[in-house]
Amino acid sequence: MVFPDAKWLDFLKAGLPASLGLAVGCGATVYLNREGLLPAALPETIALAIAVAGLISGGLALSLLLAAIYRASVWFVKPRYEGHLYKRLDAKRKREFTKYTPYLSPKERQIFGFLLHYNRRTFTNTSDCGYAAELLSLGYVQMIGRGRQHVDYWSVPFGVPESVWEALEENRDAFLYVRQQASYRDRGYGEPEPWRKPGAP
């Protein structure tokens, strides 16, 4: 069985301007033929074929136009919608942390007080996060190392999420800074970092 050549269907790949132009041209031809304004009347078969081609190209032009409108709306709306969702999620996390602050241990308050005092949102710690391990599990401290970044067990980078940091800054009085006395091992190296457990370098 021999199938007819389907190359004539290539016009379906035409863009919006070509499809719209073809639809307008076919419509104008059918209209002028019906009004008798053409130099010679078109046979019914040809006029019908032109009308069908006009309908197909018009439908194709409409679908391309709707697709373009959809892409434009997604390009315009999606980032704003995602930004709105992020702000809502950020506000929710901030409220959750604020409600949880009465249950923080003295050591956890000391960690946040230290970070606030030195205006530090990031720090390095052992991979288990030392005394801040529970804060890490709750999401109030996050590991911020990149996937390909080389880190060792003793110097893994951590950071305080923005929502948590905002709540900390708004409630500084609940996280008072008390300078810790350096041990013999820490002397000469400055104040010991409150998130590191004894024995960590």
Side-chain angles (χ1 to χ4, degrees):
M1 181 177 179
V2 179
F3 292 97
D5 187 7
K7 284 191 175 294
W8 62 276
L9 292 174
D10 285 348
F11 86 95
L12 295 175
K13 301 177 182 178
L16 177 60
S19 299
L20 185 60
L22 181 59
V24 171
C26 291
T29 302
V30 171
Y31 173 77
L32 293 174
N33 182 62
R34 189 183 66 180
E35 298 296 322
L37 298 176
L38 293 178
L42 297 174
E44 279 190 26
T45 306
I46 296 177
L48 180 61
I50 293 175
V52 170
L55 288 173
I56 294 174
S57 58
L60 182 61
L62 180 61
S63 65
L64 291 171
L65 179 61
L66 292 176
I69 292 173
Y70 172 75
R71 287 194 298 269
S73 63
V74 168
W75 174 81
F76 181 79
V77 173
K78 185 178 179 181
R80 288 159 180 78
Y81 177 68
E82 289 179 345
H84 174 68
L85 289 181
Y86 177 79
K87 286 182 179 179
R88 289 186 60 183
L89 181 61
D90 210 40
K92 181 182 177 182
R93 289 175 176 170
K94 183 177 177 180
R95 289 194 302 270
E96 289 175 349
F97 174 74
T98 303
K99 289 180 180 178
Y100 186 79
T101 50
Y103 306 104
L104 292 172
S105 68
K107 174 60 72 172
E108 290 166 343
R109 290 179 180 275
Q110 180 187 358
I111 291 171
F112 283 133
F114 183 97
L115 293 172
L116 282 169
H117 177 76
Y118 289 103
N119 196 31
R120 290 174 55 182
R121 278 185 58 183
T122 62
F123 59 93
T124 59
N125 201 357
T126 53
S127 63
D128 63 356
C129 212
Y131 288 121
E134 191 169 341
L135 297 176
L136 176 66
S137 66
L138 292 170
Y140 301 146
V141 167
Q142 295 176 343
M143 188 179 295
I144 58 176
R146 300 293 181 183
R148 295 183 178 180
Q149 180 180 356
H150 175 71
V151 295
D152 60 35
Y153 175 82
W154 307 104
S155 300
V156 179
F158 294 91
V160 180
E162 184 176 355
S163 55
V164 176
W165 187 256
E166 289 178 358
L168 289 172
E169 288 187 319
E170 292 174 5
N171 299 276
R172 280 180 173 269
D173 294 342
F175 303 96
L176 297 177
Y177 165 73
V178 178
R179 182 175 177 85
Q180 300 299 303
Q181 181 66 37
S183 65
Y184 175 79
R185 180 177 176 277
D186 293 314
R187 293 189 186 280
Y189 295 96
E191 184 178 3
E193 296 173 324
W195 48 82
R196 289 191 180 272
K197 290 184 176 180

